[in-house]
Amino acid sequence: MPSNPRWVRRPEGSTWGDFGADDQLGRLNLLTPAKVRQGIAEVREGKTFCLSLPLDRPGGKALNPRRGPPVLSPTGPAEKPRWNQCLCHDEAGLLDVACDDKVEIALQYSTQWDALVHVGAMFDADGDGVPEPVYYNGFRAGTDVPNASQAAASGRAFGALKLGIENAAAHGVQGRGVLVGLFGRFGETRRFVGYDDLMAVLDADRVEVEPGDILCLYTGFADVVMRMDGAPDPAVLANACAVLDGRDARLLHWITDSQIAAIAADNYAVEGLPARAFTGGANAAMPLHHHCLFKLGLPLGELWWFEALAAHLHATGRNRFLLTAPPLRLPGAAGSPVTPIATV
């Protein structure tokens, strides 16, 4: 087991320390130059697909009451907003008409990446029998990830000092995407997809997933969201389309053994929430997030929009493509909007 100054124990089956004592990238380390070249080799037509929802979708707070749609407003004072501002009012003879704006945004409202700091766990990394709140690779809540009150007291800007989304942005998120069509098998009916279901779809559609690939799951959920035109029905969305079963141990083992670099899905949370009930012991409320973000350092993408790409790949008998999906380089953030581009 790799030595590490922050922990003497690591979670069973985790990759803590495997990429280095201070690693903050996790499985994104598998997006090597060779893997990028594999993605580029999938480009035959030069045709591109935007995989992002409009950032004001799904609309409302149907999926998460803590996250609302972005609010745009002009910069400048209220009495002189920088919107359709004619500069000739400031200096005679100027022709310019200017617009300048700002946004208040929940970073994980729409199409997004989760940073590795998004979900940690109570875990006895010290080996003293007392669990403490830690994140991937043993980074600590309260020090590596200061509380909001600690940041305010120190005069430091709010945000994580380790594992923020800026690490993924600086590394670059580009490589070979592999699309798996769960929608074609299960339609719009809610289904918890475990290992057997996933393997059946991979076999039937002749999909090969290799180390370093970015696994993309097309469930149809984003298509349902877009049909609701900004007024989502929570009851419909709660029962719509396939979700991964985070309690399926064989599925989690496959994610580990497959050596995929990341998972992106068109649904909310990638996994089914609330997760299936568990019996006995301590368990995570979000078991797939726990396994991927906390144990493996494997980023999760949510609410991507695969409809047009899926149709094109199906028509051409393909499932691989070049995926370019950098998050915002926003230091300390637990997630980021993303506008992924697929090139075929």
Side-chain angles (χ1 to χ4, degrees), residues 211-275:
D213 286 343
I214 299 174
L215 182 69
C216 298
L217 304 176
Y218 174 46
T219 73
F221 186 89
D223 308 348
V224 176
V225 166
M226 289 303 293
R227 289 203 304 267
M228 293 179 175
D229 198 24
D233 183 334
V236 172
L237 294 182
N239 294 286
C241 303
V243 289
L244 292 188
D245 183 356
R247 300 262 187 243
D248 186 329
R250 288 195 301 161
L251 176 62
L252 300 184
H253 286 311
W254 179 85
I255 291 171
T256 298
D257 295 342
S258 68
Q259 293 288 299
I260 53 176
I263 301 174
D266 62 348
N267 58 18
Y268 174 70
V270 184
E271 63 179 314
L273 296 179

Side-chain angles (χ1 to χ4, degrees), residues 8 17 32 54 84 100 122 139 142 182 192 238 245 264 267 290 309 315 328:
V8 298
T32 62
N84 289 331
D100 190 34
M122 297 296 295
F139 287 107
L182 300 180
F192 277 68
D245 183 356
N267 58 18
H290 178 84
L309 173 66
L328 297 176

Side-chain angles (χ1 to χ4, degrees), residues 137-211:
N137 215 5
F139 287 107
R140 302 301 180 99
T143 53
D144 302 309
V145 185
N147 299 325
S149 58
Q150 291 174 311
S154 67
R156 188 170 53 215
F158 170 76
L161 302 179
K162 302 292 183 180
L163 301 178
I165 199 67
E166 73 275 12
N167 296 287
H171 176 74
V173 182
Q174 186 176 52
R176 186 170 67 188
V178 179
L179 192 70
V180 179
L182 300 180
F183 175 72
R185 174 63 65 93
F186 305 116
E188 293 182 2
T189 301
R190 173 57 59 101
R191 182 185 181 92
F192 277 68
V193 170
Y195 174 83
D196 289 337
D197 283 336
L198 181 60
M199 292 304 105
V201 173
L202 295 180
D203 290 344
D205 294 346
R206 298 180 180 178
V207 179
E208 294 185 7
V209 179
E210 298 178 4

